[in-house]
Amino acid sequence: MTHPLIDRETRTPARTGSTVEFRGLHRAFGSTTALDGLDLAIGPGELVALLGPSGCGKTTALRIVAGFERPDRGEVLVDGADVTRVPAHRRDTGMVFQSYSLFPHLTAVDNVAFGLRMSGVGGAARRARAAGLLELVGLPEHAARFPHQLSGGQQQRVALARALALRPRVLLLDEPLSALDAQVRLTLREEIRRLQQELGITTLFVTHDQEEALSIADRVAVMRAGRLEQCAPPAELYARPATAFVAEFVGVMSRIPGRAGPDGGTVSVLGRTLPVDGTLPGDGEAAGEAGEVDVLVRPEAVEVLADGDGTSRIVSATFLGATTRLTVRLAGGSDVLADVPAHTAAALPVGVTATVRLPDRPVLVARRRGGNSGGRP
Amino acid sequence: MARLSGARYGRAAVWLAAGAYFLVPLACAVAFSVEDPRKGVDFEAYTGMFGADGFTGSLVLTVKVGAATVALVLVLLLPALITVRLTAPRLRTLVELVCLLPLVVPAMALVAGISAVLRWGPDHFAGTPLFDAFVGLQNPDFPGVLVLAYTLMALPLAYRTLDAGLAAIDLRVLVEAARACRASWPRTLVHVVLPNLRGALLNTAFLTLALVFGEYTVAAILGYQPFAVWIVVISGSQAQMSVAASMIGLLVTWVLLLVLAATGRARRTKETS
Ligand SMILES: Nc1ncnc2c1ncn2[C@@H]1O[C@H](COP(=O)(O)OP(=O)(O)OP(=O)(O)O)[C@@H](O)[C@H]1O
Ligand SMILES: [Mg+2]
């Protein structure tokens, strides 16, 4: 019997994966509400990244899929069937944990073979399969090592192989890279993506690193306080955030005070009138007077010109390599972040007065937020 | 330099004092057990012990009761501690309190309570299945009541060692990783939790056995004759043999300890090779 996971040549590309659907998931721990009506549908073979600030319920959602947690209300469907009452060991999910979770008393190859052993695969067959999987994650020569003899990155690779060994319908990754150093994170996330695409496994990837989410996911689901804010492909999420929270959580966004035009189709900001691309629902807490809005801009869309008569002033500069990120204080007191090419940054030292310009493109508008405005650092 | 050697002398003095404290009585005991006024040295107390009246019976009884106690302690405590750790961390203090309670209940109080129950029980339950249970508990070949009493007395020790073992592993993650690998609850316990608690399990078993081997009060008052009681019983007629038996018991305990330490070390070297 050949196993498609091992026989790279005979492997069927992108077998049709399973679908996963959250329907109105609620889960409270005492007085904390971890999930507050989460709805999300994941297509077959799709990699969806769950992104959100700490404590927004990402891990809880994942653990409910794995069967380690029960929702108070709502259901989880896998391939259309409700699995809420299925015990964890019959869920057919593979999971990689944030902390190192290899069984300390087993070697790498025995760790990978553990699931096969539990499913009654014979000794020789499962060792062969496990060895193949270790090869798949690039660790064939470490088969006989115990977990404490492996580096963190190697341990997570073995954990990934262990999760893939049973060919799960759903792969669950709970911040598998967060304990690793930057370089290993980068290579391992590419590898996870490659394996996931080759095997066509429906995958939920929890992270609070937006760059990680944007770079490997088919779609990114941004969560906030136990609910879904927006689920969209990375480019769309970045360009057309559905809420002010998403706009400011994903990437960097500055707020510039503006005034809505009479028809609502334009906004006047920084002395010019620009078309409105979309109006985001505000946070509701501190809506200003009618007409007072914030224009949301990405740092790469802001132009800064040195100008002795300008009303703005450069208050700080951070060198980022190809670009320099300037913090510019506008006349009204709000700060705007701007990315300028490193060679023009030389003409814009900290302290000079400048003029800030926006390109002639439609802009995102959000209701004016109370208190201090300005970009997220 | 002077201070260093001073410290060394200090340490030597402590070692000497401690060694004398332990070894002098032992040496005296050994000397007493082999002393013979006519021949000088005589090992009869050791050789004759194995054939002595009651030796085999009491040893077998102790081993049986000890094994049963270890089994009962583990069966009671392990699932409880694991469940508490996984599902109700807030109950931990309560469990700890219950497990440590026997420390403050003196053995005498325990015995008094047990004998009261044993006397009162059969009268009230005569003719019911409970009556048979009471009789069965006091079966002289296998006194269940001793097992129950020793289990209670071993709880504090067992709790401490098992809890330390559980604290040393990331129980929740290991259990969940096993469950995600399609292991049912019992198989998770057998294939993942127990192997990683090996050291704690061995320690618990050893401490419990040591307790059972040395316990005198409860067994004597309830009228059974395990090894420790036998040693005291024969001390009247054969004082030398009684001391010799104690020495053998001590030796066996030390050997067990060494074996325990060695298995722990062997495992570690195997892993790093
Ligand atoms: N077992 C639990 N007992 C009590 N509260 C819990 C438990 N698990 C989670 N919570 C609470 O539920 C909320 C959501 O937790 P969750 O672990 O899902 O967050 P998260 O999005 O994964 O956060 P992070 O990015 O920090 O991992 C948090 O406020 C947390 O304190
Ligand atoms: Mg989490």
Side-chain angles (χ1 to χ4, degrees):
Chain A
M1 185 182 75
T2 57
H3 190 260
L5 267 177
I6 298 161
D7 283 291
R8 281 162 168 257
E9 282 73 36
T10 63
R11 192 187 305 146
T12 47
R15 81 193 160 89
T16 45
S18 301
T19 61
V20 177
E21 192 179 345
F22 298 137
R23 281 199 190 150
L25 282 186
H26 276 263
R27 180 70 168 103
F29 298 99
S31 57
T32 29
T33 306
L35 291 179
D36 188 17
L38 177 66
D39 292 297
L40 180 62
I42 301 155
E46 199 178 20
L47 193 162
V48 170
L50 281 183
L51 181 67
S54 191
C56 70
K58 308 180 293 290
T59 299
T60 307
L62 214 61
R63 289 167 53 83
I64 287 177
V65 182
F68 302 140
E69 203 80 71
R70 280 258 176 104
D72 301 330
R73 253 176 299 144
E75 51 192 14
V76 178
L77 311 182
V78 176
D79 280 335
D82 184 6
V83 297
T84 327
R85 311 244 157 264
V86 179
H89 66 282
R90 303 226 186 84
R91 288 269 175 120
D92 206 1
T93 54
M95 184 143 177
V96 177
F97 298 81
Q98 176 173 3
S99 52
Y100 301 132
S101 63
L102 295 184
F103 306 125
H105 65 297
L106 297 178
T107 57
V109 69
D110 286 339
N111 261 285
V112 177
F114 184 83
L116 300 166
R117 184 165 144 217
M118 291 298 118
S119 335
V121 178
R126 72 170 182 252
R127 284 199 148 249
R129 273 207 222 178
L133 276 153
L134 278 180
E135 203 167 317
L136 203 64
V137 297
L139 293 172
E141 72 279 20
H142 293 75
R145 297 233 188 139
F146 283 91
H148 69 96
Q149 298 167 321
L150 297 170
S151 73
Q154 290 168 341
Q155 288 192 44
Q156 290 303 65
R157 281 166 198 261
V158 175
L160 182 66
R162 182 177 68 181
L164 291 172
L166 288 165
R167 304 240 292 148
R169 290 194 290 173
V170 186
L171 181 62
L172 305 169
L173 308 166
D174 188 3
E175 305 195 32
L177 309 175
S178 65
L180 309 176
D181 66 62
Q183 199 60 48
V184 181
R185 288 175 80 128
L186 221 63
T187 49
L188 199 45
R189 87 178 181 211
E190 301 301 331
E191 212 157 315
I192 289 176
R193 177 57 164 164
R194 175 179 63 82
L195 283 172
Q196 184 269 335
Q197 281 181 324
E198 282 182 34
L199 304 172
I201 295 184
T202 308
T203 303
L204 259 172
F205 186 107
V206 165
T207 177
H208 58 233
D209 179 342
Q210 44 159 308
E211 189 204 324
E212 206 166 274
L214 293 175
S215 63
I216 71 168
D218 291 311
R219 283 191 300 153
V220 177
V222 179
M223 286 179 65
R224 176 198 195 187
R227 294 166 161 279
L228 184 71
E229 285 275 307
Q230 183 179 11
C231 184
E236 187 185 329
L237 200 74
Y238 193 79
R240 298 193 55 94
T243 67
F245 175 80
V246 174
E248 284 166 295
F249 189 77
V250 178
V252 177
M253 204 58 116
S254 308
R255 283 172 174 261
I256 303 177
R259 178 166 285 277
D263 52 351
T266 59
V267 59
S268 67
V269 57
L270 295 175
R272 58 196 303 186
T273 303
L274 296 174
V276 170
D277 190 21
T279 304
L280 304 179
D283 292 337
E285 64 232 11
E289 325 158 17
E292 299 272 322
V293 293
D294 279 337
V295 174
L296 301 177
V297 289
R298 300 276 182 203
E300 62 268 22
V302 178
E303 266 183 274
V304 183
L305 304 167
D307 176 0
D309 304 328
T311 53
S312 309
R313 202 165 49 79
I314 297 172
V315 291
S316 77
T318 312
F319 181 63
L320 299 178
T323 60
T324 297
R325 177 157 299 169
L326 302 175
T327 308
V328 186
R329 184 151 300 156
L330 301 180
S334 53
D335 286 347
V336 178
L337 297 175
D339 284 355
V340 297
H343 58 89
T344 59
L348 296 163
V350 172
V352 302
T353 51
T355 297
V356 173
R357 267 214 333 228
L358 294 181
D360 248 330
R361 283 203 300 259
V363 290
L364 282 171
V365 166
R367 239 184 304 169
R368 174 72 55 87
R369 181 190 284 170
N372 175 41
S373 53
R376 244 166 36 106
Chain B
M1 200 60 212
R3 242 201 329 190
L4 200 76
S5 56
R8 196 176 303 153
Y9 283 130
R11 210 178 304 151
V14 169
W15 273 111
L16 217 69
Y21 184 75
F22 283 112
L23 290 181
V24 169
L26 278 182
C28 292
V30 171
F32 171 73
S33 67
V34 297
E35 187 204 339
D36 188 321
R38 282 153 300 166
K39 287 190 284 178
V41 171
D42 176 21
F43 289 97
E44 226 231 89
Y46 289 86
T47 50
M49 179 166 58
F50 299 97
D53 212 20
F55 172 82
T56 322
S58 66
L59 196 61
V60 167
L61 180 69
T62 305
V63 169
K64 276 198 292 194
V65 169
T69 307
V70 169
L72 189 59
V73 162
L74 292 182
V75 164
L76 278 182
L77 212 47
L78 206 56
L81 292 188
I82 290 175
T83 315
V84 164
R85 266 184 185 267
L86 288 183
T87 62
R90 260 172 298 166
L91 283 183
R92 248 182 86 186
T93 0
L94 182 70
V95 172
E96 181 170 8
L97 214 69
V98 168
C99 288
L100 296 187
L101 211 58
L103 275 186
V104 295
V105 178
M108 284 308 299
L110 187 65
V111 178
I114 291 176
S115 13
V117 170
L118 288 182
R119 244 179 291 117
W120 163 88
D123 295 346
H124 281 256
F125 296 109
T128 70
L130 268 178
F131 179 80
D132 295 328
F134 270 104
V135 173
L137 270 182
Q138 300 176 70
N139 174 4
D141 285 336
F142 185 74
V145 61
L146 270 192
V147 174
L148 292 182
Y150 289 163
T151 301
L152 271 183
M153 293 164 69
L155 271 187
L157 292 171
Y159 172 81
R160 282 274 175 236
T161 46
L162 285 182
D163 196 55
L166 283 171
I169 61 175
D170 199 340
L171 184 68
R172 177 180 296 276
V173 168
L174 289 186
V175 165
E176 287 180 357
R179 307 265 295 138
C181 286
R182 296 193 192 162
S184 59
W185 262 112
R187 303 186 89 186
T188 300
L189 198 67
V190 171
H191 291 287
V192 173
V193 179
L194 293 188
N196 285 301
L197 283 180
R198 231 177 68 143
L201 293 176
L202 281 175
N203 273 324
T204 309
F206 172 75
L207 287 174
T208 307
L209 275 182
L211 181 132
V212 171
F213 263 79
E215 208 289 326
Y216 171 82
T217 323
V218 172
I221 296 179
L222 290 179
Y224 299 102
Q225 205 183 82
F227 199 56
V229 176
W230 177 77
I231 289 177
V232 175
V233 167
I234 61 161
S235 68
S237 55
Q238 291 161 288
Q240 279 188 320
M241 191 182 286
S242 145
V243 173
S246 309
M247 289 298 114
I248 296 282
L250 200 67
L251 207 68
V252 169
T253 313
W254 275 352
V255 168
L256 272 180
L257 251 182
L258 287 179
V259 167
L260 207 70
T263 46
R265 200 167 318 124
R267 192 176 136 70
R268 230 168 291 135
T269 47
K270 193 184 85 197
E271 277 181 10
T272 45
S273 63

